[in-house]
Amino acid sequence: YFIEQIRISVKRNKEDGFILGEVWKNPMRMGRSYIDSGKGMDSVMNYSLVDSLIRYFKYEDVYKLSYILKDIICEYPKDTINTLMNFTSTHDISRIVNIFGTDEFNGYSEWAWNLNRNDLEWCKNFKLTLEQYKKGRDIFEAYTFALTFLPGILSIFYGDEVGIEGLGNLANRKPFPWGREDKKLLEFFRFIGSIRGKESFLEQADINILDINKQYMMFERTGEESEMLVIVNRTDLENEINIPGKYEKCNKVYSLKKSSRKNLTPYGGVAIKRNI
């Protein structure tokens, strides 16, 4: 009832006002007032997808990612799917570069970002080694490349785009590191931003999951006039791939870490666009 009243107030003041909820689990199973055309919120922060995507890249959890994607596709309204907040990380979880760079997390807990211990002083002073940071950044880029092409709105938590660290809640809310930005990572995010700017059809395109295995994930986005095949390598090894024949001669290709139509480089990816 409370959420319904919020909606009435928002729409009364701004007809196209957008209501986004910080809901961690499937909102379709939390009562009709959460996501219900004309009554509830418009969309939510996509914690369930981000959790499953982290588990896939960090723990090889094929089942969880497959299950959550199926859940979203089958249960969420189309407009909600298109406006889900797909974040790199948030103010309530560890920074994503830390999640991928260390083994300080409990992969068997409810959420992939839950720490093995909650020592605030330890979290405050924790810093990745250079080797850990480079590993975390490599996986982070593959994870973000996948997130870029999945349905929803790609959202960057301030500082993730320049490699800010933060283990645990509170330590993740450090000031922006002016003058100490990771320029290589920033360039990657400029590349990602340019894709989202150019490929506006992704805003409404449907998704078709083709394969999710321990080596890579492969899915397709389909709009009225364009289609795009996306393949992302979750491993630190090269992987040969076989793409559907209809994409073999397409010229519009976005490549991560010099991946190609036939070969995925370690933590690399490729997105191939064709006109229908």
Side-chain angles (χ1 to χ4, degrees), residues 29-43:
R29 301 175 187 174
M30 301 177 72
R32 68 189 182 94
S33 63
Y34 276 85
I35 298 289
D36 190 349
S37 180
K39 294 181 180 179
M41 297 177 293
D42 295 303
S43 196

Side-chain angles (χ1 to χ4, degrees), residues 73-130:
I73 294 167
C74 294
E75 296 191 15
Y76 291 24
K78 171 72 171 170
D79 288 344
T80 296
I81 293 174
N82 291 340
T83 53
L84 286 165
M85 182 179 173
N86 296 338
F87 48 82
T88 52
S89 53
T90 77
H91 63 286
D92 281 329
I93 69 176
S94 293
R95 290 285 178 166
I96 195 69
V97 71
N98 290 92
I99 293 175
F100 286 132
T102 75
D103 295 321
E104 302 294 345
F105 298 88
N106 184 352
Y108 297 99
S109 62
E110 182 177 13
W111 301 102
W113 44 79
N114 286 350
L115 286 160
N116 285 318
R117 54 176 170 164
N118 290 307
D119 183 332
L120 293 179
E121 193 64 25
W122 172 72
C123 288
K124 177 182 175 182
N125 296 305
F126 184 89
K127 185 171 177 58
L128 295 168
T129 66
L130 181 59

Side-chain angles (χ1 to χ4, degrees), residues 7-19 42:
R7 185 178 185 89
I8 291 170
S9 298
V10 169
K11 301 301 180 180
R12 182 177 63 236
N13 288 281
K14 194 173 188 298
E15 188 176 341
D16 62 347
F18 180 68
I19 305 170
D42 295 303

Side-chain angles (χ1 to χ4, degrees), residues 205-223:
D206 292 329
I207 182 170
N208 178 28
I209 306 300
L210 300 178
D211 193 9
I212 300 177
N213 57 56
K214 292 183 178 181
Q215 283 72 47
Y216 59 81
M217 62 183 299
M218 179 191 297
F219 59 92
E220 191 176 38
R221 299 295 307 279
T222 304

Side-chain angles (χ1 to χ4, degrees), residues 128-182:
L128 295 168
T129 66
L130 181 59
E131 183 180 0
Q132 287 175 324
Y133 179 79
K134 287 181 177 178
K135 175 187 175 182
R137 183 178 62 188
D138 276 344
I139 305 174
F140 177 26
E141 289 180 352
Y143 157 91
T144 302
F145 192 78
L147 203 59
T148 297
F149 297 101
L150 288 168
I153 301 170
L154 178 64
S155 306
I156 304 168
F157 184 40
Y158 83 94
D160 279 350
E161 75 278 17
V162 293
I164 192 171
E165 289 189 41
L167 197 66
N169 203 339
L170 297 183
N172 60 351
R173 307 184 190 194
K174 296 174 183 175
F176 191 89
W178 297 110
R180 294 176 285 107
E181 302 95 331
D182 182 334

Side-chain angles (χ1 to χ4, degrees), residues 20-56:
L20 179 77
E22 186 175 357
V23 178
W24 285 45
K25 297 184 179 180
N26 185 333
M28 306 308 297
R29 301 175 187 174
M30 301 177 72
R32 68 189 182 94
S33 63
Y34 276 85
I35 298 289
D36 190 349
S37 180
K39 294 181 180 179
M41 297 177 293
D42 295 303
S43 196
V44 296
M45 297 176 71
N46 209 356
Y47 275 98
S48 58
L49 174 64
V50 169
D51 171 71
S52 65
L53 200 60
I54 289 173
R55 289 181 188 278
Y56 176 68

